[in-house]
Amino acid sequence: MIQFRYLRLARGAKILVDAASLQIHPGWRVGLTGANGTGKSSLFALLRGELHQDQGDLEIPAGWRIAHVAQETPALAKPAIEYVLDGDVELRTIEAQLAAAEAAHDDAHESAHREAHIGAHIGNLHARLHEIGGYAARARAAALLDGLGFLPGEADRPVSDFSGGWRMRLNLAQALMCRSDLLLLDEPTNHLDLDAVLWLEQWLRDYRGTLVLISHDREFLDACVTHIAHIESQRLTLYSGGYSDFERQRAERLAQQQSLFDKQQREIAHIEDYIRRFRAKATKARQAQSRIKALERMERIAAAHIDTPFSFSFRDGPPAPDPLLQVEDGVVRYGEHTVLERLRLTLRPGERVGLLGRNGAGKSTLIKLLAGQLPLAAGSRSEGKGLAIGYFAQHQLETLRPDESPLQHLTRLDPRTREQELRDYLGGFDFRGDGVGGTSTPATTPCGSFSGGEKSRLALALMIWQRPNLMLLDEPTNHLDLEMRHALTLALQDYEGGMVLVSHDRALLRATCDRFLLVDDGRIQPFDGDLDDYRDWLAERRAQASAAAKCPDRSADKAARKADREQSAAERQARLAARRPLVKELEQLEKKLANWHGEKKLLDARLADPALYTGAEAGQLQTLLKRQAELAGWVDDAELRWLEISEQLEAMQAD
């Protein structure tokens, strides 16, 4: 198990966690939560051995393999699937040792004993490869890529071909490929869409090792974890259950704490009143001094405090036209490739639409079209008079000026508004003051050094300030913590304009969308159901795709089907013809191995008899030892050949 004993972790002069004592048992799946800056990532670095505690002990079982997601991906020419396979370090080590041993065996010009030793080593490596599932490793890596949204043809593309977000998916696949005892995942859903999130949930539920997970997605946490470790006020507290259970338990604990605080405050007030009344009286002075000392010794209970730094709402926008936006018979192409066609969509004031669809179906493309960022190849797109679009996408973060502060960005948008009003508004997004004390981000700090979450908050603040009457949101919660997501959800619930939302955050989708549209096969259509129905739809589509891969649909005419059957029969006969000599050789090897093993067993027993070395038969010792080495070499060579033939037959069977 992982054991914390009175552990203190600090960064510089700032104490992040103090006096932490808890146990994480093998197989537990723990969600690590807490406000930004409380030390979650530092705790991960501690578990990885990159940081050391300032006080106390941390015990992790020796020999545990620890996997985590790399934050950087070099622009490698290596194929994506090979990059993922690198996650299984032992597999790669065995493959390298096998290649070296086989090369040495092929080039060997040494003694039979040396050659037999190399053969035995090769046999042992193959046996270990079988034990760790090495022969199925490539299929396992391909399944990870498929689950995370990569298309079948992309497995052999170089890593350098992929964008930053897709490289992060490759890093995640590499971490999942590792046969780890401890898996550390820091915001793994940030670069995923909803279908990949649902797939990852299932994968993590089936994971046999110990998981520690940082996530700001409450439904994802509820689905994946068995415990919550929460950092608050430098304390690390372990709760049983998912995130919803944690919220309930924490609320109960805080209510109890507040009750104890109120009781103690009444007791303190009573003692202080006694001291004031009787301190000056000689007859009561001793009792008053006793109460003063009792007051000094009293361990003060802190007031229960739950507060969010985020508080904002949408300002009233201009009068909204009806309809807001219309697309008729729209077609969107990238080059010669048609992404969307026959698009018909009317957006009206107050509508809240969520877009669903598998990865690559065209959800972001549709959002860009609605925002006017993409032209139509055919059809029409018309805006109502007075339409004011607020568009949020991940590339919005790149439009921020790194040398300007949040206050400067907002002043550029609205130079006529008083600075104090702009500061008050930014304070609702936790951009406060000038950085003196507190944990909020200063409103006057250049945003070039901001984290992803801080940049997302600023981009949202700038968009909302412009008072849109139609909001187009493409994954707005990436990098946002739980408190900010909650504040955004409340604000969107009160927003009176139209909205189209793409998000992998199901809590946000459930709370803010009135209806869903499904983007699939280049079309959009109403989705009659909720997110649970969509999860079932995705599972059905995956099952259909799997079945189609195993048994492809043949809708050709009768002659074509007959040709297929004849071709299949010919291929089957060819495989049988190729298998026969291998099967025959395998049977002969098994007979020889049985005879050699039997003879070697008798020989080993004879050589183990001490009488052989002192009696009349001592002269036969060299002959017997030579025969033993000869049998060992034959056995090693035969077993190696047996493994090679078995692999060939297994491959033929798979084909």
Side-chain angles (χ1 to χ4, degrees):
M1 72 180 75
I2 299 173
Q3 180 107 21
F4 292 80
R5 289 196 184 93
Y6 304 104
L7 183 138
R8 173 184 289 178
L9 178 63
R11 296 302 296 267
K14 182 181 180 182
I15 297 176
L16 301 174
V17 175
D18 194 23
S21 294
L22 56 87
Q23 296 175 343
I24 298 176
H25 293 269
W28 280 13
R29 300 192 298 273
V30 181
L32 182 59
T33 63
N36 285 340
T38 54
K40 299 187 296 295
S41 295
S42 295
L43 203 59
F44 262 33
L46 178 69
L47 290 169
R48 293 198 302 268
E50 296 171 4
L51 288 179
H52 195 270
Q53 65 269 23
D54 297 86
Q55 186 176 304
D57 297 308
L58 169 63
E59 293 180 7
I60 299 177
W64 265 24
R65 287 167 294 189
I66 301 176
H68 71 282
V69 179
Q71 295 304 304
E72 300 293 334
T73 315
L76 301 172
K78 177 180 292 189
I81 194 165
E82 296 296 333
Y83 181 77
V84 173
L85 284 164
D86 288 344
D88 193 332
V89 176
E90 186 180 3
L91 169 72
R92 288 310 206 191
T93 301
I94 292 174
E95 288 178 340
Q97 291 175 347
L98 264 175
E102 287 169 352
H105 187 269
D106 292 342
D107 297 338
H109 298 292
E110 303 185 34
S111 65
H113 178 72
R114 170 65 177 162
E115 199 171 339
H117 176 74
I118 295 174
H121 181 52
I122 290 173
N124 291 334
L125 289 173
H126 275 290
R128 180 57 184 161
L129 198 62
H130 177 73
E131 288 173 7
I132 68 172
Y135 298 114
R138 183 165 292 269
R140 196 154 51 94
L144 290 173
L145 289 172
D146 177 66
L148 292 173
F150 290 87
L151 299 175
E154 293 180 327
D156 295 318
R157 284 177 54 192
V159 172
S160 57
D161 280 5
F162 295 96
S163 64
W166 285 97
R167 289 188 195 180
M168 288 306 297
R169 294 195 191 204
L170 286 176
N171 286 349
L172 176 57
Q174 190 183 77
L176 301 183
M177 187 69 196
C178 176
R179 292 171 295 103
S180 56
D181 302 290
L182 173 61
L183 177 59
L184 305 174
L185 296 181
D186 189 349
E187 288 294 347
T189 64
N190 264 357
H191 300 279
L192 304 183
D193 46 17
L194 184 53
D195 50 330
V197 170
L198 291 168
W199 174 87
L200 181 60
E201 269 183 14
Q202 185 58 54
W203 194 96
L204 292 176
R205 280 198 293 265
D206 295 337
Y207 175 64
R208 299 297 183 186
T210 303
L211 170 69
V212 182
L213 167 69
I214 298 174
S215 178
H216 296 306
D217 185 330
R218 63 179 60 232
E219 290 208 22
F220 185 70
L221 284 168
D222 272 339
C224 294
V225 305
T226 58
H227 296 76
I228 293 289
H230 185 65
I231 305 175
E232 186 176 29
S233 302
Q234 301 176 354
R235 291 290 182 264
L236 180 62
T237 308
L238 190 66
Y239 298 82
S240 295
Y243 188 80
S244 298
D245 299 314
F246 151 72
E247 283 192 315
R248 176 182 50 77
Q249 293 174 53
R250 182 182 178 221
E252 292 171 354
R253 181 179 62 80
L254 288 170
Q256 183 181 22
Q257 180 180 335
Q258 185 63 39
S259 175
L260 292 172
F261 171 79
D262 293 339
K263 181 180 179 181
Q264 187 182 65
Q265 290 302 302
R266 290 192 297 270
E267 183 181 352
I268 290 171
H270 178 74
I271 293 173
E272 288 176 339
D273 181 61
Y274 183 95
I275 293 169
R276 276 195 307 271
R277 285 187 295 122
F278 298 113
R279 192 173 193 171
K281 291 188 176 182
T283 56
K284 297 287 187 179
R286 183 173 295 177
Q287 292 92 326
Q289 287 299 320
S290 175
R291 282 166 171 74
I292 289 173
K293 291 179 181 178
L295 204 58
E296 290 172 350
R297 289 195 301 268
M298 184 180 292
E299 184 176 345
R300 301 298 175 99
I301 299 171
H305 180 67
I306 298 181
D307 193 14
T308 173
F310 311 112
S311 176
F312 63 90
S313 59
F314 288 85
R315 305 192 304 158
D316 292 336
D322 189 7
L324 293 164
L325 184 64
Q326 279 187 303
V327 178
E328 290 288 338
D329 299 319
V331 177
V332 181
R333 295 193 182 99
Y334 288 126
E336 297 298 318
H337 176 59
T338 299
V339 181
L340 298 170
E341 60 183 349
R342 300 184 190 177
L343 294 179
R344 293 195 172 192
L345 180 61
T346 299
L347 296 175
R348 299 191 177 280
E351 278 196 313
R352 302 158 177 272
V353 180
L355 295 184
L356 305 176
R358 297 200 65 183
N359 171 62
K363 301 185 295 296
S364 293
T365 298
L366 179 57
I367 287 272
K368 289 178 183 176
L369 168 66
L370 297 176
Q373 303 275 317
L374 279 179
L376 282 170
S380 64
R381 173 187 176 278
S382 57
E383 297 182 358
K385 187 177 180 180
L387 176 68
I389 292 177
Y391 175 45
F392 180 92
Q394 289 309 297
H395 72 262
Q396 304 299 111
L397 308 188
E398 299 168 8
T399 66
L400 298 174
R401 298 170 182 261
D403 57 334
E404 292 189 1
S405 67
L407 185 59
Q408 287 172 309
H409 276 88
L410 198 56
T411 302
R412 182 185 295 276
L413 275 182
D414 193 349
R416 297 183 180 181
T417 300
R418 291 184 307 109
E419 181 178 311
Q420 188 57 49
E421 186 177 343
L422 299 180
R423 284 178 176 269
D424 291 343
Y425 172 77
L426 288 170
F429 293 85
D430 204 26
F431 298 110
R432 305 172 189 272
D434 295 313
V436 181
T439 58
S440 62
T441 308
T444 54
T445 299
C447 68
S449 61
F450 282 7
S451 67
E454 290 165 333
K455 288 179 180 178
S456 292
R457 280 193 272 127
L458 178 54
L460 280 168
L462 296 176
M463 182 194 70
I464 291 170
W465 181 263
Q466 297 175 73
R467 302 167 61 204
N469 50 32
L470 173 61
M471 290 227 300
L472 306 172
L473 305 174
D474 190 357
E475 296 291 359
T477 61
N478 275 358
H479 307 293
L480 299 183
D481 64 17
L482 281 158
E483 296 290 347
M484 181 60 189
R485 291 186 186 207
H486 182 62
L488 178 62
T489 300
L490 294 178
L492 287 175
Q493 286 175 335
D494 292 336
Y495 174 62
E496 295 182 354
M499 181 186 74
V500 180
L501 172 64
V502 176
S503 179
H504 64 259
D505 189 322
R506 282 158 291 169
L508 180 66
L509 287 168
R510 292 184 202 276
T512 60
C513 294
D514 298 326
R515 68 185 181 103
F516 295 108
L517 293 177
L518 178 65
V519 183
D520 188 47
D521 291 333
R523 311 272 181 88
I524 60 172
Q525 57 186 343
F527 184 78
D528 185 18
D530 58 16
L531 292 178
D532 294 329
D533 297 316
Y534 177 64
R535 179 198 59 211
D536 296 340
W537 179 86
L538 279 174
E540 183 180 347
R541 289 298 293 265
R542 285 188 183 277
Q544 290 173 355
S546 177
K550 293 177 182 177
C551 183
D553 178 37
R554 296 188 180 107
S555 55
D557 58 20
K558 184 177 180 180
R561 291 196 297 272
K562 182 179 178 181
D564 284 343
R565 288 195 299 271
E566 291 174 348
Q567 182 179 353
S568 297
E571 291 173 352
R572 188 164 56 252
Q573 289 300 322
R575 285 197 297 271
L576 289 172
R579 282 173 57 86
R580 283 192 195 102
L582 292 174
V583 171
K584 187 174 181 180
E585 185 180 355
L586 196 69
E587 290 172 350
Q588 291 173 347
L589 281 172
E590 288 172 346
K591 290 179 182 178
K592 289 179 180 179
L593 280 168
N595 292 332
W596 290 337
H597 277 302
E599 183 181 351
K600 188 172 180 295
K601 185 177 180 181
L602 293 173
L603 194 57
D604 290 342
R606 190 174 178 187
L607 286 167
D609 185 1
L612 174 66
Y613 300 88
T614 57
E617 295 180 335
Q620 302 179 21
L621 183 60
Q622 291 301 320
T623 303
L624 295 176
L625 288 171
K626 183 178 179 181
R627 180 59 175 174
Q628 184 190 43
E630 188 176 54
L631 286 170
W634 291 349
V635 167
D636 286 340
D637 290 342
E639 286 179 341
L640 179 60
R641 179 57 182 160
W642 187 93
L643 281 170
E644 291 172 351
I645 294 173
S646 297
E647 288 174 21
Q648 292 178 38
L649 292 172
E650 186 176 345
M652 289 179 180
Q653 186 68 29
D655 292 339

